[in-house]
């Protein structure tokens, strides 16, 4: 019973990581495409880049935590 809850929680975390990666990449692509049309200065476009980079670093950390948790439950 406890094993199932742990697996469900890890699966939920995995889905969240997948959504963050997909959403941040979509946001980054849209920002790179729309910013020149709106005449946004390059220094503001870098803010989008850094925000996406932070999201990807966060997703790598959470992915590592999921991996470690699955290793611990294996035995």
């Amino acid at each position: 019973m406890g094993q199932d809850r742990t697996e469900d929680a890890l699966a939920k975390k995995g889905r969240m990581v997948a959504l963050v990666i997909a959403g941040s990449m979509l946001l980054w692509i849209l920002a790179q495409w729309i910013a020149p049309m709106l005449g946004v200065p390059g220094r503001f476009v870098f803010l989008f880049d850094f925000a996406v980079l932070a999201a990807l670093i966060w997703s790598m950390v959470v992915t590592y935590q999921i991996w470690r948790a699955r290793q611990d439950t294996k035995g």
Side-chain angles (χ1 to χ4, degrees), residues 8-22:
D8 288 344
L10 292 176
K12 186 177 178 181
K13 266 187 170 182
R15 286 190 297 270
M16 184 187 306
V17 167
L19 288 173
V20 168
I21 291 171

Side-chain angles (χ1 to χ4, degrees), residues 1-70:
M1 187 188 272
Q3 182 78 14
D4 291 336
R5 275 194 200 158
T6 303
E7 284 298 319
D8 288 344
L10 292 176
K12 186 177 178 181
K13 266 187 170 182
R15 286 190 297 270
M16 184 187 306
V17 167
L19 288 173
V20 168
I21 291 171
S24 63
M25 287 286 85
L26 184 62
L27 177 68
W28 182 76
I29 290 169
L30 288 174
Q32 297 299 316
W33 181 57
I34 293 174
M37 288 186 213
L38 297 176
V40 177
R43 64 179 183 221
F44 292 119
V45 177
F46 276 124
L47 290 175
F48 288 114
D49 294 342
F50 288 133
V52 170
L53 189 61
L56 293 176
I57 290 171
W58 174 86
S59 64
M60 288 177 62
V61 169
V62 174
T63 301
Y64 178 75
Q65 291 173 350
I66 293 169
W67 178 73
R68 289 295 302 156
R70 291 226 166 117

